Each structure stands twice: as structure tokens, then as C-alpha cells.
Amino acid sequence: MKFYGDLSKPMFCLLIALAAPRLLAQGPPYQTDDPVPVDLHHYEFYIFGGVDGTTAEIDSTGPAFEFNWGAIPRVQLHAILPWGVVAPSNNPVYAPGGTGPLEFGLTDMELGTKIAFIKEGKRMPQIGIFTMYEMPTGNAAKGLGVGKVWYKLPLWIQKNSGKWLFDGGGGYQLVKQAGYRSFPYTGWLVKKELNERLELGAELFAHGREGYAAAQTERSAMIDGGGYYHFKHNPNEQFLFCYGHSIAGQTENYAYVGMYWTWGKDDKDDKAPAASKLFPTPSYRNGL
């Protein structure tokens, strides 16, 4: 099944209700992440989807559920439970990759720990790591999983300047499995808060060859644009969106849509209104 091509067609609108297994590692809705953990005793929950595909194959997951917990100061625990679709193009040009039937099922579950070890200062950016472990819960024989535990090892930096925010960094994806390759990746994001309701951003994201068993069989560099819409009745309930396309390397398309909620209790401010305790400012909007 060939889902690539004119992305304005209705088929693409259906695909953006899903999310690619590779994109799960990145900071919603962008592929570039940040080094800011969830605040202590606070929580984040996402229901999301998207697509990340090439002319060789569309790999997507959906629905997907993400949960983040500020377990201890400056440390976030992270989990994603994703279902997915594998849709090879079955074009002989990409053989032995990009071949096989369309499949749907549970894909590899993601567990992770984000640690901020340098706090943002007047000139110093915040720096942190976000190590992730991809558990082999997907059926590898159907292409829904890798079949072994694999790892994502990034380092991210962030600097705020008024209504502007800058994120960047990169890492290495370690995959010890036949048909897959370990490879580096990097992302750089600039975002601006336009008003109380809307934030928009753009990023440059690039990755190496991922192996013929993955949709991203070759290197690719992409430009993505997206943002957050904060709902009036509760600014901590948000709609997230992003779309991007390759500018170099293998043709690749990326999209993300999702809903986000955050809540928690601030032990340092017992006199704060109940609403502010349950719905604090999202941690990713400010450095620690």
C-alpha cells in the first residue's frame, strides 16, 4: 500500500491519527526534546497520534498513551504504551526492506528517565539527559517491534529568552538486532509564545540510516512546524500539532496530533488556590 505522495489527500488525514514508533522518543509535538523534567509531585498525560513514513514504508502507532511523573526533584519517569500499523510500500526498489503485509497491533513499549543536571542561569542553558528503553512488547515477526530491548541515549539543552525558547541537542539510538542499525540523530528547535493561548515553533531534525527493517532506510534531514493551543477553560489542557517534510536525504514526512493534560500538588505553596495546585504551569514551558 502506497500512502506517500500528495499529502493533501484524505488518506493522509487518516494517517495523522497515528504515531510512528520512532517519534515516540521526541518531545511532543516536535521531534526535538527538552531537558526539563516534570515538576516534583506533578504529572503529565497525553493521548496522541501521528505518522512518520518514507517512500519505502509507513510505520505508525495509534492510539498511543504517554504518562510522565515528577518522581523526585529534577527527575522524571516516563512511559508510553503504543499500538501501531506497519504499511510497507512493497516496492522492489527498497527490497529487502519495505515489503510485507499491512499489520496492526501493540508495538514496543517505551520507558525512560529524564534527569536535569545543570540548571538554567542568566547565560547558562539548562542541560539534561533523557535515556529511554524500548521494551520488546511488539510482535517482531509482523514488523511491530524490534524483538530485543533497544535504547535511545540523548542529551538536550534549553534556553529561555522572554517569550522565545530554544531547544537542541542530539544522541545515539542503539539497536543490536538483525536488519536494524544503530545511528546518531540531532534536533534544534525555536519556539515563541504568541499569546496566552497559542505557541508556535519550528525545528530542524536529522537522523542517520536506520536499517532496511525500518521505514527510514536512509539518512534524512527534516524541517517541522507546529505548536500548542491552550484551552480557555483550562490552559493546562492543550491541543498539540506538528507537520514536517524532508529537505535532504530520503523523502520523509512527519506529523503529530495529540491532547495533553497536567496536574499535581505544589508542597511549597499550601496557600495557593486549589486550581493552581491541580493544574500547574506546564514544566516544559520554563526551565527548572
Side-chain angles (χ1 to χ4, degrees), residues 26 31-35 125-130 153-159 166-172 184-190 203-207:
Q26 314 303 332
Q31 300 191 75
T32 303
D33 214 319
D34 65 64
Q126 178 147 315
I127 303 176
I129 58 174
F130 196 177
L153 310 170
L155 181 145
W156 301 108
I157 63 175
Q158 176 176 287
K159 192 73 178 73
F166 304 89
D167 283 318
Y172 195 72
Y185 58 91
T186 183
W188 300 90
L189 166 72
V190 58
E203 69 175 340
L204 174 64
F205 186 86
H207 63 83

Side-chain angles (χ1 to χ4, degrees), residues 79-263:
I80 293 179
L81 183 65
W83 276 259
V85 172
V86 176
S89 68
N90 288 310
N91 189 327
V93 171
Y94 305 106
T99 60
L102 185 147
E103 301 284 359
F104 171 79
L106 180 67
T107 62
D108 288 349
M109 182 178 179
E110 181 173 277
L111 303 176
T113 305
K114 181 185 289 190
I115 303 173
F117 54 86
I118 294 182
K119 184 178 181 179
E120 181 175 348
K122 184 176 181 180
R123 294 182 176 84
M124 175 66 69
Q126 178 147 315
I127 303 176
I129 58 174
F130 196 177
T131 303
M132 280 164 278
Y133 312 87
E134 311 298 323
M135 310 307 294
T137 52
N139 188 326
K142 294 183 177 181
L144 295 169
V146 171
K148 292 182 178 180
V149 178
W150 48 292
Y151 309 91
K152 297 175 181 177
L153 310 170
L155 181 145
W156 301 108
I157 63 175
Q158 176 176 287
K159 192 73 178 73
N160 289 272
S161 179
K163 294 183 180 295
W164 291 89
L165 180 144
F166 304 89
D167 283 318
Y172 195 72
Q173 185 161 304
L174 184 63
V175 188
K176 297 294 185 179
Q177 178 66 297
Y180 294 89
R181 295 172 57 96
S182 297
F183 62 91
Y185 58 91
T186 183
W188 300 90
L189 166 72
V190 58
K191 185 181 69 172
K192 184 178 182 181
E193 182 178 342
L194 301 182
N195 52 52
E196 293 182 354
R197 304 273 186 84
L198 184 63
E199 301 174 51
L200 295 178
E203 69 175 340
L204 174 64
F205 186 86
H207 63 83
R209 297 170 58 195
E210 301 188 21
Y212 68 79
Q216 298 77 16
T217 55
E218 301 295 334
R219 300 176 182 88
S220 185
M222 310 178 67
I223 289 182
D224 308 326
Y228 312 82
Y229 178 79
H230 302 256
F231 289 94
K232 182 177 181 180
H233 70 279
N234 177 11
N236 296 286
E237 178 183 14
Q238 301 160 29
F239 174 70
L240 286 63
F241 57 94
C242 190
Y243 171 72
H245 191 278
S246 56
I247 57 172
Q250 186 175 26
T251 300
E252 186 173 348
N253 294 287
Y254 169 86
Y256 181 108
V257 292
M259 288 294 299
Y260 165 90
W261 296 267
T262 182
W263 69 98

